[in-house]
Amino acid sequence: MPLVLNSLDLQRGVIAQVEIAPWVTGGGAGSFLDLGAVRGLAVDIKQTMKQQEADNSLYPLDVYPTKAEAIVSFEVLQADLKKMANALGELTSKVTVVGATSATLPLGQPTGGNYWQLRISAPNVGGMKPGSDTYKNRTHTLWRCVQEPALNMKLVRGDETTYKFSFHVVLDTTVTPSTTTDQIGKIADTV
């Protein structure tokens, strides 16, 4: 069998956009807020496997999954109060904007338990349209995510404030699985 290489079929140099919205049941479209400038965006999907072993065999007799998880992490560089509210796991509606002169984010006990929907748009990634050399845009939509809030504001000369986001993707049982989506989300390539 000949080796088939296609230098266009690579994902590289992606300038991705991250958007967040309060969770919507049934995989509905949320009211997304663009999180602006981000750094270090990563989607980590993995399974934990258990090996079934016998003392009289060097190889495992079987291997099966015991856990699956997906974690999305990134830093937001734009430090406005609405993005800070999101970094704390709060809704942007907690931020009160008065005219063009002030905004307030009240701090108190965390409300906790906010579920989020994430959309990550990655234009001009690899992955070919069958039969042509057309690049595609890739969009990751994750239906239901729980944020692990962590906020470390650097208020020093010579450094920048960034908000670290970490989301754990959880099963959304309100979504009916089909050929184009399932209960975690979907990844779609378009021209």
Side-chain angles (χ1 to χ4, degrees), residues 2-88:
L3 179 63
V4 178
L5 298 176
N6 188 338
S7 64
L8 300 179
D9 198 15
L10 303 171
Q11 183 169 328
R12 63 199 183 278
V14 175
I15 300 176
Q17 173 184 0
V18 181
E19 297 169 286
I20 183 175
W23 171 60
V24 178
T25 61
S31 298
F32 285 97
L33 170 70
D34 181 3
L35 290 180
V38 298
R39 177 170 52 207
L41 175 62
V43 180
D44 184 21
I45 301 173
K46 63 181 179 179
Q47 286 188 1
T48 302
M49 306 297 282
K50 170 74 175 166
Q51 291 189 7
Q52 188 174 17
E53 299 177 357
D55 289 339
N56 58 350
S57 174
L58 296 177
Y59 286 93
L61 303 177
D62 201 0
V63 178
Y64 54 92
T66 59
K67 179 181 175 182
E69 65 180 335
I71 298 174
V72 179
S73 57
F74 54 92
E75 290 182 345
V76 169
L77 286 91
Q78 294 174 244
D80 69 41
L81 279 184
K82 288 187 177 182
K83 292 176 177 64
M84 180 188 285
N86 288 146
L88 289 167

Side-chain angles (χ1 to χ4, degrees), residues 33-182:
L33 170 70
D34 181 3
L35 290 180
V38 298
R39 177 170 52 207
L41 175 62
V43 180
D44 184 21
I45 301 173
K46 63 181 179 179
Q47 286 188 1
T48 302
M49 306 297 282
K50 170 74 175 166
Q51 291 189 7
Q52 188 174 17
E53 299 177 357
D55 289 339
N56 58 350
S57 174
L58 296 177
Y59 286 93
L61 303 177
D62 201 0
V63 178
Y64 54 92
T66 59
K67 179 181 175 182
E69 65 180 335
I71 298 174
V72 179
S73 57
F74 54 92
E75 290 182 345
V76 169
L77 286 91
Q78 294 174 244
D80 69 41
L81 279 184
K82 288 187 177 182
K83 292 176 177 64
M84 180 188 285
N86 288 146
L88 289 167
E90 298 288 353
L91 300 173
T92 56
S93 59
K94 284 190 74 172
V95 176
T96 303
V97 178
V98 180
T101 58
S102 67
T104 304
L105 171 61
L107 297 176
Q109 291 289 335
T111 55
N114 289 328
Y115 292 106
W116 302 96
Q117 190 177 96
L118 291 179
R119 183 167 60 198
I120 302 167
S121 304
N124 300 320
V125 299
M128 307 304 297
K129 180 178 179 183
S132 74
D133 288 337
T134 303
Y135 281 102
K136 295 182 180 177
N137 299 313
R138 180 165 289 168
T139 303
H140 307 252
T141 306
L142 301 167
W143 302 134
R144 191 169 178 231
C145 305
V146 178
Q147 185 183 0
E148 185 176 323
L151 186 60
N152 181 10
M153 293 179 289
K154 293 183 180 177
L155 303 174
V156 298
R157 183 172 54 95
D159 209 346
E160 59 198 24
T161 292
T162 61
Y163 302 149
K164 294 187 179 185
F165 282 71
S166 181
F167 290 92
H168 299 265
V169 182
V170 295
L171 193 68
D172 188 348
T173 57
T174 68
V175 173
T176 303
S178 70
T179 57
T180 58
T181 191
D182 212 326

